[in-house]
Amino acid sequence: MKKNILSAILMSTVILSAVAPISGVNADTNSDIAKQDATISSAQSAQAQAQTQVDSIQAKIGSIQAKQADLKNKMEKLKVEGKKLNTQVSTLRQNINERNSSLQAQARSAQVNSSTTGYLDAVVNSKSLSDAIQKVTAMATVTSANKNMLDQQQKDIKSVQDKLAENQKNDGIMVAAQNDLTKQTKDLAGQEAQLKVAQLNYQLTITTAQDKKQELQAQKAAAEKAATEQANKTKAAAEAVAKANAAPIIQMPKTTESSSVSTASAEDMTVSSSSTTNVNPTTPSKNVSSTNTVTNTKSTPTPSSSSNNSSGYTIPSTHYGTNPGTYVAPTCTFYVKSVMGSRVGDYWGNGEDWAASASADGFTVDNNPVAGSTVAVFGPNVRGGSYGHVAVVESVNKAAGTMVIGEAIDLGNGYFNTTSTVKISDANYGFIHV
């Protein structure tokens, strides 16, 4: 398209340079009339060719505008789907917590009643064969109910991870659509600038008055300058994004935190046939207040542990890998995962979901930023888009009420890996201690 436009402009330039400048028509000279006719004929030919280019550009502009409208509709639909998935995740988490409470109660009851004899004691201490059969049947019923509850627990935990992964996938589609929309908008601006040049070019060709010709030449020069400036800005913005994203991500030092294992833990208790109570420290209870402050006593869960009961059924715990690819590049969640690695979860959702997800996994979430060991969580439209935002806290100045954060953020020209100084209070969803 650009080559065609330049060809039309070049043709017009050749025509203008091949004929003598128009300074008026001398009616008494046939030679001047012939020259005028030749100029008019050449100008009309150039005008027709330039108009063809104008029509082509306008058709392309219409196509881009249609794509923009389609992308906006897609973004709205995906946003609605994301809210539905978040609601489903909340319901599943509630079910998981309720079943955890039930399992904990059964474990405590078994511990208090010292049910160490199992089936053998139930048979030996029975008054009759009928009594023994009834006791064994009752114990089998309880065991079966626990098995069913554990099976459902596994399914719901996997469902939570699957739905959060689906939400992240939808978020990636949204980001890709936004980036595509930004690129198309820039292309549209360049097309409009070139359209201006083409229109002024053929209009200049058919102008016979010298003063109008000079005015149009000035307008053409301004339009070409604007087109050049627009192209330079677009190129500079693209180079800046490429340079920023090519820069290495600063890795924060990992803090060492010890986590004690209590034999009286209220979660993931498993009663074996020998009455031994095991405690799994990887799944603390969720406790989020209305001010986004969580009072969990444990801040770093063990990534690979799991809990088994006497029948061999396993409740999987959340695993924390080092691959940032579980989040969409080059978003803020991808950036934080790249910095923190296994110190943060693989399926914590969009930025606005991180505080609740981390709290549910046993991390401390409060309003106290700590350099190098906390993730700042911002609500929708506070810093970034409507899906919330997360960043790494690199330094804190509590006296000034500010902090320096490492982040990936889109300020209108694509995502940049950068550092910014912001207010501590901006992180209205709190800070995750990792």
Side-chain angles (χ1 to χ4, degrees), residues 317-346:
S317 62
T318 303
H319 293 273
Y320 301 86
T322 58
N323 179 18
T326 56
Y327 295 94
V328 178
T331 59
C332 60
T333 51
F334 177 90
Y335 176 90
V336 175
K337 182 65 177 178
S338 299
V339 175
M340 291 300 186
S342 60
R343 296 167 66 183
V344 300
D346 291 338

Side-chain angles (χ1 to χ4, degrees), residues 138 185 234 327 352 360 383 406 410 422:
T185 301
T234 301
Y327 295 94
E352 64 182 346
R383 182 166 185 81
D410 184 359
V422 300

Side-chain angles (χ1 to χ4, degrees), residues 145-159:
N146 285 343
K147 176 183 178 301
N148 293 336
M149 187 178 298
L150 290 170
D151 288 344
Q152 188 60 44
Q153 190 79 324
Q154 289 177 329
K155 292 178 181 178
D156 281 359
I157 290 174
K158 185 177 184 303
S159 181

Side-chain angles (χ1 to χ4, degrees), residues 200-247:
L200 292 173
N201 186 71
Y202 76 73
Q203 187 176 352
L204 174 62
T205 305
I206 64 174
T207 300
T208 57
Q210 186 63 34
D211 56 345
K212 183 63 177 177
K213 178 180 176 180
Q214 292 175 351
E215 178 184 345
L216 291 175
Q217 284 176 330
Q219 293 178 11
K220 178 183 175 182
E224 289 175 338
K225 180 180 179 181
T228 301
E229 291 176 350
Q230 177 64 37
N232 291 338
K233 288 180 181 179
T234 301
K235 181 180 178 181
E239 291 175 348
V241 171
K243 181 179 179 181
N245 288 333

Side-chain angles (χ1 to χ4, degrees), residues 286-309:
K286 177 181 178 183
N287 181 17
V288 184
S289 69
S290 59
T291 58
N292 297 307
T293 301
V294 179
T295 58
N296 291 310
T297 59
K298 181 174 107 32
S299 62
T300 307
T302 303
S304 60
S305 60
S306 60
S307 176
N308 299 326
N309 66 7

